[in-house]
Amino acid sequence: MERAATRSPALSALLAAVHASPGITRADAAAELGMASGYATETVARLVGLRLLEERAAAPTGRRGRPTTALHPHPDGPLVAAAAISHDSWRVAVVELGGGVVRSGAGAHSGDQEEVVRAVAASFDRAWRRYGTRIRAFAAAVPGTVNRNRLVHAPNLDWRDLDLVALRPGRASSVALLGGNDATFAGLAEQRCGAAVGTSTAVHLYLDCGVGGVLVDSGRAVLGTAGAAGEFGHLPFGSSSRRCGCGALGCWNTVLDGAAIARMVGQPAPRNAVAFAAEVLEAAAAGKPVELRAARALGRSLGRGAAGLVNALDPELVTVGGLGPALLAVAGRQVEAAYRRGLMAFRATGAPPIVPARFGADGPLTGAAEEGFARVLTGPGIDEWAALGG
Ligand SMILES: [Zn+2]
């Protein structure tokens, strides 16, 4: 009986409203959800009883009627432990409902796979020892192709076949481990709480040592059968005579990655492709002609590819993250011109805009935590929490 009652959609809807706007008043949450005031009060009381929310006095509104309360995450409520591994560093954040970070850790790394796995696993383990089953999901964003929680290949680190489950503490094997590509998670972050909030379908392009991304549809990432969708850099928009690191011929990345940029500016292939690409864009912004020419070529390639994706996927908006905002700043005109040229004619009016992402380097970590909370905020997630003694 109680189980069926716990699954009331009102519980997850109200919880999601507080997650999106922590501190929202009960009255505003009820209005947003079209919920009668008495029912909202009752639903909030149940969420407070389950140690999911805490009610605090709200600032007086000056309106007549019963004073409302402000809804905050419960101080003993559920948490998500999220990690993001980049080409040269790692970060871990333990996040509460509403996105607040209650604990964090970070470190630089030299690219050694075992060293990074050990550091992140140790940080997750410390979090587990401190918070125990309050942690309802572990999530890890990694810079490579992920297939069913296995990192297949991280081209920039040359890591292969890493089982991401190794990051989760052994004693926490009943808690979900959600592994995913960094660009995918960054795109989710944009749709849930960034530049693409309110869109039903959005494409995110994440540019660093090549391009990846995600199609987000109705709040969910389109991940494909094995979770490996969104590898936009391996569409054949590149040089048809060049072999990509993935093994295919002619990938888009062959004209966008570190080696491609190095060829454009007449330098040897860089060791740290992301830092190198960032430096080239900086030099372009400072007006250095060789780098500016390279940035404009990258801009044209990005615009042309974005047009292909828009033609095929029909999004409302295209967000561009990673080094994308820096590229838009220096070669926005080239991006836009190539984009317009590549769009199907019927899209000429009302073409979806290409905009800079809200989250920079934080995108993958934010998106990983959001993916964890997507599980907590469902009926079954609330049931699981309630079964733990809430
Ligand atoms: Zn490829």
Side-chain angles (χ1 to χ4, degrees):
M1 219 25 222
E2 177 53 29
R3 170 159 289 256
T6 309
R7 285 205 175 200
S8 142
L11 290 180
S12 23
L14 221 148
L15 209 51
V18 178
H19 179 59
S21 319
I24 189 173
T25 65
R26 192 182 58 213
D28 286 347
E32 194 181 300
L33 300 172
M35 218 180 247
S37 144
Y39 187 50
T41 304
E42 198 180 295
T43 308
V44 166
R46 290 185 59 203
L47 291 168
V48 170
L50 287 167
R51 288 199 291 164
L52 285 161
L53 294 188
E54 181 176 74
E55 267 186 300
R56 298 185 203 153
T61 59
R63 277 177 280 180
R64 296 175 58 151
R66 211 145 52 114
T68 186
T69 56
L71 307 177
H72 293 270
H74 194 284
D76 297 320
L79 302 168
V80 171
I85 296 171
S86 80
H87 62 286
D88 61 3
S89 64
W90 62 268
R91 286 172 62 201
V92 165
V94 181
V95 181
E96 65 178 0
L97 202 77
V101 174
V102 298
R103 182 191 175 100
S104 61
H109 70 75
S110 59
D112 183 75
Q113 182 174 316
E114 274 180 36
E115 168 205 325
V116 180
V117 169
R118 244 194 334 267
V120 173
S123 185
F124 271 173
D125 193 60
R126 282 192 293 276
W128 182 254
R129 273 185 279 145
R130 171 139 187 202
Y131 300 108
T133 53
R134 280 185 65 198
I135 297 180
R136 299 316 306 143
F138 292 91
V142 290
T145 306
V146 177
N147 182 344
R148 303 185 204 284
N149 269 348
R150 287 191 92 81
L151 172 62
V152 178
H153 183 209
N156 209 32
L157 291 164
D158 206 26
W159 293 0
R160 282 172 203 276
D161 202 31
L162 167 64
D163 186 357
L164 297 174
V165 172
L167 300 172
R168 181 179 59 192
R171 290 162 296 165
S173 60
S174 63
V175 178
L177 182 283
L178 312 167
N181 173 268
D182 53 0
T184 301
F185 280 140
L188 267 177
E190 293 304 324
Q191 210 274 341
R192 304 254 172 88
C193 43
V197 164
T199 59
S200 65
T201 305
V203 164
H204 183 65
L205 295 175
Y206 189 84
L207 194 72
D208 57 11
C209 62
V211 63
V214 66
L215 169 69
V216 183
D217 188 40
S218 307
R220 301 200 66 84
V222 177
L223 293 175
T225 312
E231 293 283 1
F232 299 140
H234 305 281
L235 285 163
F237 298 160
S239 151
S240 61
S241 60
R242 218 169 263 283
R243 176 100 32 210
C244 173
C246 76
L249 204 61
C251 291
W252 194 6
N253 279 350
T254 62
V255 292
L256 285 177
D257 65 7
I261 299 172
R263 283 194 303 275
M264 291 179 206
V265 298
Q267 290 189 33
R271 255 178 65 83
N272 185 335
V274 184
F276 174 74
E279 279 164 24
V280 168
L281 291 178
E282 235 170 76
K288 295 200 174 165
V290 173
E291 284 83 357
L292 192 57
R293 204 160 51 235
R296 287 176 174 163
L298 288 173
R300 281 189 290 273
S301 180
L302 186 78
R304 181 169 159 265
L309 287 165
V310 166
N311 288 340
L313 301 172
D314 194 25
E316 271 177 77
L317 182 72
V318 179
T319 52
V320 186
L323 299 174
L327 179 61
L328 285 181
V330 71
R333 270 197 323 169
Q334 285 71 23
V335 173
E336 190 64 22
Y339 177 56
R340 294 276 160 187
R341 276 197 302 274
L343 284 176
M344 296 160 79
F346 85 92
R347 297 190 187 277
T349 47
I354 300 179
V355 301
R358 171 180 167 192
F359 297 105
D362 284 350
L365 191 68
T366 306
E370 280 298 314
E371 189 62 357
F373 273 108
R375 296 174 75 93
V376 175
L377 299 172
T378 59
I382 296 174
D383 278 353
E384 266 181 41
W385 177 254
L388 286 168

